[in-house]
Amino acid sequence: TIHTYEPSGANIVFEVFDGEVVIVNLDSGKYYSIKNSGAYVWNGLIAHNSPQQITAALAESCQNDSSGIQSDIDQFINQLID
C-alpha cells in the first residue's frame, strides 16, 4: 500500500518563499520554517507523492543511495505528524 499525506485540516496553512516553506498552525499559533531538502519533501507530500516516490526523486537528483534518504524522510514525516 502506498501512503500519501496532506495537512490535517484548514488550521494548517503554508506558503513558499524563495524555496523556503513556512507552515503555520492557526490553532496553536506555532509556525515552522523548512528549507532545502525539507522543503523538497514538503512540496512532494503536498503534491500527493508517496515517501517512496520522494525518496527516489531526491536520490536521483542528488545522485545518492536512497537507503539513508528514506530513513531521513520517514523521520521528517514523523516529526510533521507530531
Side-chain angles (χ1 to χ4, degrees):
T1 303
I2 295 178
H3 295 283
T4 59
Y5 298 87
E6 61 185 53
S8 60
N11 62 326
I12 305 294
V13 296
F14 69 95
E15 190 68 45
V16 179
F17 301 97
D18 295 324
E20 176 182 5
V21 179
V22 177
I23 305 164
V24 181
N25 181 325
L26 298 174
D27 289 341
S28 69
K30 292 183 180 180
Y31 67 94
Y32 307 90
S33 171
I34 52 178
K35 300 178 185 179
N36 304 321
S37 58
Y40 186 93
V41 172
W42 175 266
N43 288 322
L45 293 171
I46 293 302
H48 300 287
N49 292 309
S50 72
Q52 295 79 10
Q53 291 169 316
I54 297 166
T55 297
L58 192 55
E60 183 177 318
S61 71
C62 297
Q63 298 179 348
N64 202 338
D65 179 16
S66 64
S67 61
I69 294 172
Q70 183 67 60
S71 174
D72 291 343
I73 289 176
D74 290 342
Q75 183 179 6
F76 178 73
I77 291 171
N78 287 330
Q79 289 175 341
L80 290 173
I81 292 170
D82 290 341

